[in-house]
Amino acid sequence: MQIRLMAEITDDSGKKVVAPIEIEREIPSMEEFGDPSKFYETFDRYERPVLDARAELMEKLTKEYLEQAALKKDGDRQKM
């Protein structure tokens, strides 16, 4: 089973400022939660990849956002 996270940045008019970024990670199947004695172990195998994917997604999204901002700033300097 996999989890897929996707994010993009849009401006106020809905135009994409940063193209969609997707991250996928393997997670345990829901059936693995059936044994109550292993709940925390199974949840840990779910939570760690999800948190890692979220961090990677936001890192990539922020990098793209700042690169786009730098291009705009460089464009403003060239107009001067």
Side-chain angles (χ1 to χ4, degrees):
M1 184 172 272
Q2 291 189 354
I3 186 166
R4 180 181 307 137
L5 303 178
M6 192 275 296
E8 64 187 15
I9 296 177
T10 59
D11 64 13
D12 292 337
S13 66
K15 179 183 171 196
K16 290 179 184 160
V17 177
V18 174
I21 296 173
E22 275 188 37
I23 305 288
E24 290 185 359
R25 292 289 186 276
E26 291 289 326
I27 58 173
S29 70
M30 289 184 247
E31 288 78 23
E32 293 183 55
F33 282 95
D35 182 356
S37 68
K38 296 191 180 207
F39 175 82
Y40 292 111
E41 176 186 321
T42 305
F43 185 78
D44 188 57
R45 290 188 8 251
Y46 165 81
E47 185 179 39
R48 288 180 189 271
V50 169
L51 293 175
D52 177 58
R54 182 182 67 181
E56 183 179 340
L57 177 71
M58 293 311 299
E59 180 181 329
K60 288 181 176 185
L61 193 68
T62 300
K63 181 180 180 225
E64 290 295 320
Y65 175 78
L66 292 175
E67 286 175 359
Q68 292 297 321
L71 291 174
K72 297 220 181 273
K73 188 174 182 179
D74 287 344
D76 288 344
R77 281 189 203 150
Q78 291 175 0
K79 291 179 186 176
M80 292 180 175

PDB file of all heavy atoms in Angstrom, residues 9 18 59-72:
ATOM      1  N   ILE A   9       1.425  25.344  -5.489  1.00  0.00           N
ATOM      2  CA  ILE A   9       1.164  26.711  -5.033  1.00  0.00           C
ATOM      3  C   ILE A   9       0.480  27.442  -6.171  1.00  0.00           C
ATOM      4  O   ILE A   9       0.937  27.390  -7.317  1.00  0.00           O
ATOM      5  CB  ILE A   9       2.465  27.428  -4.606  1.00  0.00           C
ATOM      6  CG1 ILE A   9       3.082  26.717  -3.405  1.00  0.00           C
ATOM      7  CG2 ILE A   9       2.180  28.892  -4.276  1.00  0.00           C
ATOM      8  CD1 ILE A   9       4.405  27.299  -2.951  1.00  0.00           C
ATOM      9  N   VAL A  18       3.803  27.247  -8.668  1.00  0.00           N
ATOM     10  CA  VAL A  18       4.742  26.136  -8.557  1.00  0.00           C
ATOM     11  C   VAL A  18       4.000  24.891  -9.018  1.00  0.00           C
ATOM     12  O   VAL A  18       2.915  24.584  -8.521  1.00  0.00           O
ATOM     13  CB  VAL A  18       5.249  25.961  -7.111  1.00  0.00           C
ATOM     14  CG1 VAL A  18       6.106  24.711  -6.980  1.00  0.00           C
ATOM     15  CG2 VAL A  18       6.042  27.187  -6.665  1.00  0.00           C
ATOM     16  N   GLU A  59       9.851  20.584   1.610  1.00  0.00           N
ATOM     17  CA  GLU A  59      11.187  21.056   1.247  1.00  0.00           C
ATOM     18  C   GLU A  59      11.259  21.351  -0.248  1.00  0.00           C
ATOM     19  O   GLU A  59      11.746  22.408  -0.664  1.00  0.00           O
ATOM     20  CB  GLU A  59      12.220  19.986   1.622  1.00  0.00           C
ATOM     21  CG  GLU A  59      13.641  20.367   1.281  1.00  0.00           C
ATOM     22  CD  GLU A  59      14.636  19.256   1.639  1.00  0.00           C
ATOM     23  OE1 GLU A  59      14.397  18.520   2.606  1.00  0.00           O
ATOM     24  OE2 GLU A  59      15.644  19.148   0.928  1.00  0.00           O
ATOM     25  N   LYS A  60      10.765  20.433  -1.068  1.00  0.00           N
ATOM     26  CA  LYS A  60      10.790  20.635  -2.516  1.00  0.00           C
ATOM     27  C   LYS A  60       9.888  21.789  -2.939  1.00  0.00           C
ATOM     28  O   LYS A  60      10.258  22.589  -3.798  1.00  0.00           O
ATOM     29  CB  LYS A  60      10.372  19.351  -3.232  1.00  0.00           C
ATOM     30  CG  LYS A  60      11.409  18.270  -3.167  1.00  0.00           C
ATOM     31  CD  LYS A  60      10.969  17.031  -3.912  1.00  0.00           C
ATOM     32  CE  LYS A  60      12.077  15.990  -3.909  1.00  0.00           C
ATOM     33  NZ  LYS A  60      11.747  14.829  -4.719  1.00  0.00           N
ATOM     34  N   LEU A  61       8.712  21.881  -2.341  1.00  0.00           N
ATOM     35  CA  LEU A  61       7.778  22.953  -2.674  1.00  0.00           C
ATOM     36  C   LEU A  61       8.362  24.312  -2.308  1.00  0.00           C
ATOM     37  O   LEU A  61       8.301  25.257  -3.099  1.00  0.00           O
ATOM     38  CB  LEU A  61       6.451  22.722  -1.942  1.00  0.00           C
ATOM     39  CG  LEU A  61       5.273  23.558  -2.392  1.00  0.00           C
ATOM     40  CD1 LEU A  61       4.840  23.145  -3.798  1.00  0.00           C
ATOM     41  CD2 LEU A  61       4.115  23.389  -1.423  1.00  0.00           C
ATOM     42  N   THR A  62       8.969  24.402  -1.149  1.00  0.00           N
ATOM     43  CA  THR A  62       9.577  25.664  -0.713  1.00  0.00           C
ATOM     44  C   THR A  62      10.753  26.044  -1.600  1.00  0.00           C
ATOM     45  O   THR A  62      10.911  27.209  -1.971  1.00  0.00           O
ATOM     46  CB  THR A  62      10.018  25.560   0.755  1.00  0.00           C
ATOM     47  OG1 THR A  62       8.853  25.279   1.556  1.00  0.00           O
ATOM     48  CG2 THR A  62      10.672  26.841   1.239  1.00  0.00           C
ATOM     49  N   LYS A  63      11.561  25.057  -1.989  1.00  0.00           N
ATOM     50  CA  LYS A  63      12.693  25.329  -2.881  1.00  0.00           C
ATOM     51  C   LYS A  63      12.203  25.902  -4.204  1.00  0.00           C
ATOM     52  O   LYS A  63      12.727  26.909  -4.686  1.00  0.00           O
ATOM     53  CB  LYS A  63      13.481  24.046  -3.126  1.00  0.00           C
ATOM     54  CG  LYS A  63      14.677  24.239  -4.016  1.00  0.00           C
ATOM     55  CD  LYS A  63      15.419  22.931  -4.233  1.00  0.00           C
ATOM     56  CE  LYS A  63      16.602  23.187  -5.139  1.00  0.00           C
ATOM     57  NZ  LYS A  63      16.747  22.214  -6.180  1.00  0.00           N
ATOM     58  N   GLU A  64      11.194  25.284  -4.797  1.00  0.00           N
ATOM     59  CA  GLU A  64      10.640  25.781  -6.062  1.00  0.00           C
ATOM     60  C   GLU A  64      10.050  27.180  -5.892  1.00  0.00           C
ATOM     61  O   GLU A  64      10.230  28.047  -6.749  1.00  0.00           O
ATOM     62  CB  GLU A  64       9.572  24.818  -6.591  1.00  0.00           C
ATOM     63  CG  GLU A  64      10.123  23.506  -7.074  1.00  0.00           C
ATOM     64  CD  GLU A  64      11.026  23.657  -8.287  1.00  0.00           C
ATOM     65  OE1 GLU A  64      10.716  24.473  -9.185  1.00  0.00           O
ATOM     66  OE2 GLU A  64      12.053  22.962  -8.333  1.00  0.00           O
ATOM     67  N   TYR A  65       9.347  27.394  -4.801  1.00  0.00           N
ATOM     68  CA  TYR A  65       8.740  28.700  -4.523  1.00  0.00           C
ATOM     69  C   TYR A  65       9.820  29.785  -4.437  1.00  0.00           C
ATOM     70  O   TYR A  65       9.703  30.851  -5.049  1.00  0.00           O
ATOM     71  CB  TYR A  65       7.953  28.612  -3.211  1.00  0.00           C
ATOM     72  CG  TYR A  65       7.385  29.917  -2.738  1.00  0.00           C
ATOM     73  CD1 TYR A  65       6.233  30.448  -3.304  1.00  0.00           C
ATOM     74  CD2 TYR A  65       7.994  30.619  -1.708  1.00  0.00           C
ATOM     75  CE1 TYR A  65       5.695  31.649  -2.853  1.00  0.00           C
ATOM     76  CE2 TYR A  65       7.471  31.816  -1.257  1.00  0.00           C
ATOM     77  CZ  TYR A  65       6.325  32.326  -1.830  1.00  0.00           C
ATOM     78  OH  TYR A  65       5.801  33.504  -1.380  1.00  0.00           O
ATOM     79  N   LEU A  66      10.882  29.497  -3.694  1.00  0.00           N
ATOM     80  CA  LEU A  66      11.948  30.490  -3.539  1.00  0.00           C
ATOM     81  C   LEU A  66      12.707  30.710  -4.847  1.00  0.00           C
ATOM     82  O   LEU A  66      13.141  31.834  -5.127  1.00  0.00           O
ATOM     83  CB  LEU A  66      12.900  30.071  -2.415  1.00  0.00           C
ATOM     84  CG  LEU A  66      12.275  30.109  -1.014  1.00  0.00           C
ATOM     85  CD1 LEU A  66      13.257  29.561   0.009  1.00  0.00           C
ATOM     86  CD2 LEU A  66      11.824  31.515  -0.642  1.00  0.00           C
ATOM     87  N   GLU A  67      12.862  29.665  -5.644  1.00  0.00           N
ATOM     88  CA  GLU A  67      13.501  29.838  -6.956  1.00  0.00           C
ATOM     89  C   GLU A  67      12.655  30.730  -7.856  1.00  0.00           C
ATOM     90  O   GLU A  67      13.196  31.591  -8.560  1.00  0.00           O
ATOM     91  CB  GLU A  67      13.750  28.476  -7.609  1.00  0.00           C
ATOM     92  CG  GLU A  67      14.894  27.711  -6.975  1.00  0.00           C
ATOM     93  CD  GLU A  67      15.076  26.314  -7.537  1.00  0.00           C
ATOM     94  OE1 GLU A  67      14.305  25.896  -8.433  1.00  0.00           O
ATOM     95  OE2 GLU A  67      16.009  25.627  -7.079  1.00  0.00           O
ATOM     96  N   GLN A  68      11.341  30.558  -7.828  1.00  0.00           N
ATOM     97  CA  GLN A  68      10.456  31.422  -8.613  1.00  0.00           C
ATOM     98  C   GLN A  68      10.522  32.862  -8.105  1.00  0.00           C
ATOM     99  O   GLN A  68      10.540  33.800  -8.901  1.00  0.00           O
ATOM    100  CB  GLN A  68       9.013  30.904  -8.553  1.00  0.00           C
ATOM    101  CG  GLN A  68       8.793  29.599  -9.266  1.00  0.00           C
ATOM    102  CD  GLN A  68       9.051  29.709 -10.760  1.00  0.00           C
ATOM    103  OE1 GLN A  68       8.705  30.700 -11.398  1.00  0.00           O
ATOM    104  NE2 GLN A  68       9.668  28.691 -11.310  1.00  0.00           N
ATOM    105  N   ALA A  69      10.576  33.027  -6.792  1.00  0.00           N
ATOM    106  CA  ALA A  69      10.677  34.371  -6.210  1.00  0.00           C
ATOM    107  C   ALA A  69      11.992  35.028  -6.623  1.00  0.00           C
ATOM    108  O   ALA A  69      12.020  36.227  -6.935  1.00  0.00           O
ATOM    109  CB  ALA A  69      10.566  34.304  -4.694  1.00  0.00           C
ATOM    110  N   ALA A  70      13.065  34.269  -6.655  1.00  0.00           N
ATOM    111  CA  ALA A  70      14.372  34.811  -7.055  1.00  0.00           C
ATOM    112  C   ALA A  70      14.352  35.246  -8.515  1.00  0.00           C
ATOM    113  O   ALA A  70      14.941  36.274  -8.866  1.00  0.00           O
ATOM    114  CB  ALA A  70      15.464  33.777  -6.819  1.00  0.00           C
ATOM    115  N   LEU A  71      13.682  34.475  -9.365  1.00  0.00           N
ATOM    116  CA  LEU A  71      13.582  34.864 -10.779  1.00  0.00           C
ATOM    117  C   LEU A  71      12.844  36.184 -10.920  1.00  0.00           C
ATOM    118  O   LEU A  71      13.239  37.036 -11.723  1.00  0.00           O
ATOM    119  CB  LEU A  71      12.862  33.777 -11.585  1.00  0.00           C
ATOM    120  CG  LEU A  71      13.608  32.463 -11.768  1.00  0.00           C
ATOM    121  CD1 LEU A  71      12.706  31.437 -12.459  1.00  0.00           C
ATOM    122  CD2 LEU A  71      14.881  32.683 -12.565  1.00  0.00           C
ATOM    123  N   LYS A  72      11.801  36.374 -10.157  1.00  0.00           N
ATOM    124  CA  LYS A  72      11.042  37.637 -10.213  1.00  0.00           C
ATOM    125  C   LYS A  72      11.899  38.797  -9.720  1.00  0.00           C
ATOM    126  O   LYS A  72      11.886  39.869 -10.289  1.00  0.00           O
ATOM    127  CB  LYS A  72       9.764  37.517  -9.397  1.00  0.00           C
ATOM    128  CG  LYS A  72       8.824  36.471  -9.944  1.00  0.00           C
ATOM    129  CD  LYS A  72       7.413  36.939  -9.878  1.00  0.00           C
ATOM    130  CE  LYS A  72       6.482  35.893 -10.402  1.00  0.00           C
ATOM    131  NZ  LYS A  72       6.294  35.956 -11.829  1.00  0.00           N
TER     132      LYS A  72
END
